[in-house]
């Protein structure tokens, strides 16, 4: 019922009301039809948005994967350059590789972003390449025992290494880390006598790790010589705690005491604590080391020690992840008697 009309009605008025009623009924039908269209379109739009979100998420995953692959490719390129440094100067190359990998462990324990860990590792791999071509004694001598001429020459090596990265915007931060890795927390370092948190975190990591690795990797093997060097580096009470041992164990003990002695003055306390954790982790990895024959190598294995040719020339660096092509090349060299010694790999954690 649309409305009531009183009798007697007027024909013209009746016709008018009938027309209005038809118009309203038509509008209601059109509104219902429009509502159905809008509902259907909303459902289609929701489905489209859902598909779009899925596509965006999938594309984002693809972009992240591409960036990770890109970053890994760059890191592999840096490892290759590091291997070239090792060929030019095996002692320096081994030391730099150790600094790079241990610096990354420390950065991980400090919970730094992955991108910053990459930069710190790269800085560790190349922070002393400026010493290439300089007198070998500069690599081994204590800084406070150098004469003015030797120290002035030595003090320029971070600048030489940093220049290599200044022209690449993506890795400009590596230059800052290298330039400042001889700065100390109490301001007694160089070149700018920075103090505390004014020193970039990467430089603070590198300062502690490089000094530790310098003792472990570059000091002599003879325990007597190690003790003589320790006497000029540590206070008497720390020297008394050193136990007798072979060269490597003694060097590690001296290096740890050196860190403890400099914690808070030379080195960031938090960095030293993280380095101690990283060294425990490193020792656990050393305990998982095993040797295999060339014929037993498998893709995905990681070298725990560098591989050398019979001539003594470095072939592959520690930490290199093997693939089918590398293994095939190693087997060919082995068949011709070119590879020296055993192949040491690191077993995965949990094995």
């Amino acid at each position: 019922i649309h409305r009531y009309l009183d009798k007697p009605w007027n024909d013209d008025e009746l016709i008018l009301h009938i027309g209005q009623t038809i118009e309203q009924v038509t509008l209601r039908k059109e509104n219902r039809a429009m509502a159905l269209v809008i509902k259907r379109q909303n459902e289609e739009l929701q489905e489209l948005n859902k598909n779009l979100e899925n596509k965006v998420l999938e594309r984002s995953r693809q972009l992240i994967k591409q960036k990770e692959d890109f970053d890994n490719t760059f890191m592999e390129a840096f490892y290759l350059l590091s291997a070239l440094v090792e060929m030019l100067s095996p002692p320096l190359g081994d030391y730099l590789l150790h600094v790079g990998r241990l610096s990354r462990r420390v950065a991980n324990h400090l919970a730094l972003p992955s991108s910053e860990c990459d930069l710190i590792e790269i800085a560790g791999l190349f922070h002393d390449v400026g010493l290439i071509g300089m007198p070998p004694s500069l690599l081994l001598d204590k800084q406070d025992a150098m004469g003015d001429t030797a120290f002035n020459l030595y003090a320029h090596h971070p600048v030489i290494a940093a220049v290599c990265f200044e022209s690449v915007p993506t890795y400009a931060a590596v230059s800052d880390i290298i330039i400042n890795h001889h700065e100390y927390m109490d301001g007694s370092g160089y070149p700018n006598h920075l103090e505390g948190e004014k020193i970039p975190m990467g430089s603070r990591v590198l300062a502690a790790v490089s000094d530790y690795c310098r003792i472990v990797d570059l000091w002599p093997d003879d325990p007597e010589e190690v003790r003589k060097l320790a006497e000029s580096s540590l206070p008497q009470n720390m020297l008394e705690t050193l136990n007798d041992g072979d060269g490597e164990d003694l060097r590690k003990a001296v290096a740890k005491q050196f860190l403890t002695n400099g914690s808070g003055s030379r080195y960031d306390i938090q960095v030293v604590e993280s380095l101690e954790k990283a060294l425990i982790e490193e020792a656990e990895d050393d305990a998982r080391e095993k040797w295999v024959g060339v014929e037993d190598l498998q893709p995905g294995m990681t070298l725990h020690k560098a591989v050398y040719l019979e001539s003594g020339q470095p072939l592959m660096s520690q930490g290199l992840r093997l693939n089918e092509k590398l293994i095939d090349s190693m087997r060919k060299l082995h068949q011709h008697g070119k590879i020296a010694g055993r192949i040491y790999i690191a077993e995965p954690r949990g094995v």
Side-chain angles (χ1 to χ4, degrees):
I1 297 174
H2 176 64
R3 64 176 297 175
Y4 293 95
L5 296 176
D6 296 328
K7 293 181 180 180
W9 57 74
N10 181 282
D11 290 343
D12 292 335
E13 185 179 355
L14 177 60
I15 293 171
L16 177 62
H17 286 312
I18 292 173
Q20 290 176 344
T21 300
I22 293 172
E23 183 177 353
Q24 290 182 7
V25 170
T26 301
L27 287 173
R28 288 195 191 103
K29 289 182 177 181
E30 291 177 351
N31 285 340
R32 283 196 293 270
M34 183 63 70
L36 290 174
V37 170
I38 292 173
K39 180 182 178 182
R40 185 172 64 253
Q41 289 179 340
N42 284 336
E43 291 174 349
E44 292 175 352
L45 184 59
Q46 290 176 357
E47 184 66 22
L48 181 62
N49 286 337
K50 183 179 179 181
N51 291 336
L52 183 59
E53 289 177 3
N54 291 335
K55 289 180 179 179
V56 170
L57 288 174
E58 178 60 27
R59 182 56 180 162
S60 297
R61 283 192 289 266
Q62 292 175 356
L63 291 174
I64 291 172
K65 180 66 167 57
Q66 289 175 0
K67 184 181 183 303
E68 290 175 348
D69 291 343
F70 181 77
D71 291 342
N72 289 337
T73 299
F74 259 93
M75 288 305 298
E76 289 173 0
F78 285 121
Y79 294 144
L80 175 60
L81 291 174
S82 176
L84 295 177
V85 172
E86 189 174 14
M87 289 182 180
L88 291 171
S89 176
L92 178 62
D94 288 342
Y95 156 73
L96 290 176
L97 184 62
H98 190 191
V99 173
R101 296 196 181 282
L102 188 54
S103 293
R104 188 180 191 93
R105 288 183 190 266
V106 174
N108 286 334
H109 281 287
L110 289 168
L112 300 179
S114 177
S115 58
E116 189 170 355
C117 291
D118 286 343
L119 297 177
I120 291 173
E121 181 177 3
I122 294 168
L125 289 171
F126 297 99
H127 71 282
D128 274 353
V129 294
L131 291 173
I132 295 177
M134 293 187 182
S137 60
L138 293 181
L139 185 61
L140 304 175
D141 291 347
K142 290 182 57 183
Q143 295 175 36
D144 54 8
M146 296 178 182
D148 291 341
T149 302
F151 180 77
N152 287 335
L153 183 61
Y154 178 82
H156 282 89
H157 81 270
V159 178
I160 297 172
V163 166
C164 300
F165 296 94
E166 287 179 345
S167 61
V168 185
T170 305
Y171 296 101
V174 174
S175 176
D176 291 336
I177 294 172
I178 293 175
I179 283 288
N180 295 297
H181 82 274
H182 283 294
E183 299 285 0
Y184 298 137
M185 297 298 288
D186 59 5
S188 64
Y190 64 90
N192 300 310
H193 304 290
L194 300 180
E195 296 182 26
E197 294 187 0
K198 293 180 181 178
I199 306 170
M201 176 55 79
S203 301
R204 284 180 261 164
V205 170
L206 195 52
V209 174
S210 62
D211 281 354
Y212 173 86
C213 292
R214 184 181 295 274
I215 295 173
V216 171
D217 298 326
L218 298 177
W219 276 24
D221 291 326
D222 184 357
E224 289 301 319
E225 293 186 43
V226 173
R227 285 190 172 277
K228 288 180 181 178
L229 289 171
E231 288 174 0
S232 63
S233 305
L234 296 174
Q236 185 61 35
N237 64 315
M238 286 189 167
L239 290 172
E240 293 173 355
T241 65
L242 297 175
N243 297 321
D244 293 332
D246 63 22
E248 183 178 4
D249 288 342
L250 185 58
R251 290 196 304 272
K252 288 182 178 180
V254 171
K256 289 177 181 178
Q257 293 285 36
F258 195 79
L259 291 175
T260 301
N261 189 48
S263 182
S265 55
R266 291 170 69 101
Y267 313 121
D268 185 314
I269 295 175
Q270 188 179 8
V271 169
V272 172
E273 292 173 350
S274 296
L275 177 51
E276 291 171 350
K277 296 176 183 178
L279 291 173
I280 293 173
E281 188 178 83
E282 185 179 66
E284 291 173 350
D285 285 348
D286 288 342
R288 294 181 2 258
E289 172 190 279
K290 73 172 186 178
W291 72 270
V292 297
V294 174
E295 65 280 358
D296 296 321
L297 293 173
Q298 297 293 330
M301 287 182 172
T302 301
L303 293 178
H304 195 257
K305 290 184 178 178
V307 177
Y308 292 86
L309 297 174
E310 281 288 350
S311 62
Q313 183 180 8
L315 178 64
M316 296 179 183
S317 298
Q318 174 191 0
L320 182 66
R321 195 174 183 85
L322 300 178
N323 56 38
E324 291 182 0
K325 289 185 177 180
L326 287 174
I327 293 172
D328 184 58
S329 297
M330 293 173 72
R331 287 173 178 164
K332 289 178 180 177
L333 289 170
H334 183 260
Q335 289 173 359
H336 291 86
K338 298 295 184 181
I339 292 182
R342 297 172 172 177
I343 308 298
Y344 289 88
I345 65 164
E347 290 187 318
R349 289 182 175 272
V351 174

